[in-house]
Amino acid sequence: SKIPLIINRDPYPMEIEQDDEKYHELTKSKYPEIASKLQLIRQLHLECVHYEALDVINELESFIKSKNDNKLLQLFQTHPRITSIRKQISQANKMLNLLTSTDSDWKCIKDDGQWSTEYKHEQETVYHSFRLMGIGKVKLINILAIFYEMDLIKTWMPLCKESYEIKQLSLYQKCGYIRIKGFWPIHD
């Protein structure tokens, strides 16, 4: 599958193939399967389907291991896109674990039967985490708009002092800044 062509825009940073990836020794392997799998991995990564890309990475790693070539395996393990995807998957898993964690560090602040708010002080840091859990009947497009229109969050979110997009890395990946006013003793 190919990334849909969007006319009249510059490529996002993740869409530009960097030299360290483009000219990586692994792409010059004597096995053509490796180059085609790397291209598929890149395409899946650009489409932000990281877990599908990870499946192809694992399949390619098994193929390379079957060749009993340590240099080839080393090249694979240091390939910039492979390391980037694995790092992003690790971060995504960490976030999923945070959201689904039932450890005793989370303190319930409010639970009205439909929504619950929990608080946790992060050990050995100055950070505090809050999570809100519940089920609401909302359209998916409304949820997506919250994340996609970061510049507008400050116009409707209570206590939001500042919000803006830092950078759009790909069609489906953005980095943003949201500053929330906190009441004493918590500062924004």
Side-chain angles (χ1 to χ4, degrees), residues 27-89:
T27 59
K28 302 172 199 159
S29 162
K30 61 183 176 183
Y31 303 104
E33 302 93 329
I34 293 175
S36 65
K37 290 286 186 190
L38 286 173
Q39 190 57 36
L40 176 59
I41 290 166
R42 180 176 187 273
Q43 191 67 33
L44 291 169
H45 189 225
L46 293 177
E47 293 171 3
C48 291
V49 284
H50 293 65
Y51 287 94
E52 287 182 37
L54 185 62
D55 290 342
V56 179
I57 289 170
N58 292 336
E59 182 182 312
L60 181 55
E61 186 172 32
S62 294
F63 172 80
I64 291 172
K65 284 179 177 177
S66 74
K67 302 302 175 196
N68 293 319
D69 184 337
N70 288 335
K71 183 179 183 209
L72 197 59
L73 185 59
Q74 175 71 20
L75 287 171
F76 171 77
Q77 292 171 338
T78 59
H79 188 276
R81 179 124 355 223
I82 303 299
T83 55
S84 175
I85 292 170
R86 286 185 165 159
K87 182 179 178 184
Q88 290 170 355
I89 290 283

Side-chain angles (χ1 to χ4, degrees), residues 86-186:
R86 286 185 165 159
K87 182 179 178 184
Q88 290 170 355
I89 290 283
S90 173
Q91 291 167 340
N93 287 340
K94 192 174 179 182
M95 180 58 75
L96 288 171
N97 289 338
L98 171 72
L99 294 174
T100 59
S101 168
T102 58
D103 69 37
S104 62
D105 291 343
W106 286 101
K107 307 289 183 240
C108 184
I109 297 170
K110 179 183 176 191
D111 188 348
D112 65 9
Q114 183 177 3
W115 296 94
S116 68
T117 306
E118 296 177 318
Y119 160 81
K120 176 181 177 181
H121 179 256
E122 300 298 334
Q123 299 293 327
E124 300 177 20
T125 71
V126 297
Y127 298 105
H128 301 264
S129 295
F130 295 88
R131 66 180 179 186
L132 176 70
M133 293 187 294
I135 298 175
K137 187 175 180 180
V138 294
K139 294 179 181 173
L140 182 58
I141 192 73
N142 296 345
I143 301 295
L144 294 174
I146 290 170
F147 297 103
Y148 208 75
E149 297 176 344
M150 289 183 193
D151 304 26
L152 300 176
I153 291 174
K154 65 182 170 278
T155 65
W156 58 263
M157 181 184 274
L159 304 177
C160 183
K161 294 177 90 173
E162 189 177 8
S163 69
Y164 57 87
E165 178 182 311
I166 294 171
K167 187 160 190 126
Q168 182 154 355
L169 303 170
S170 72
L171 189 58
Y172 306 106
Q173 190 173 17
K174 285 187 174 194
C175 182
Y177 176 83
I178 301 171
R179 184 171 159 215
I180 309 284
K181 178 180 178 182
F183 296 106
W184 183 90
I186 300 171

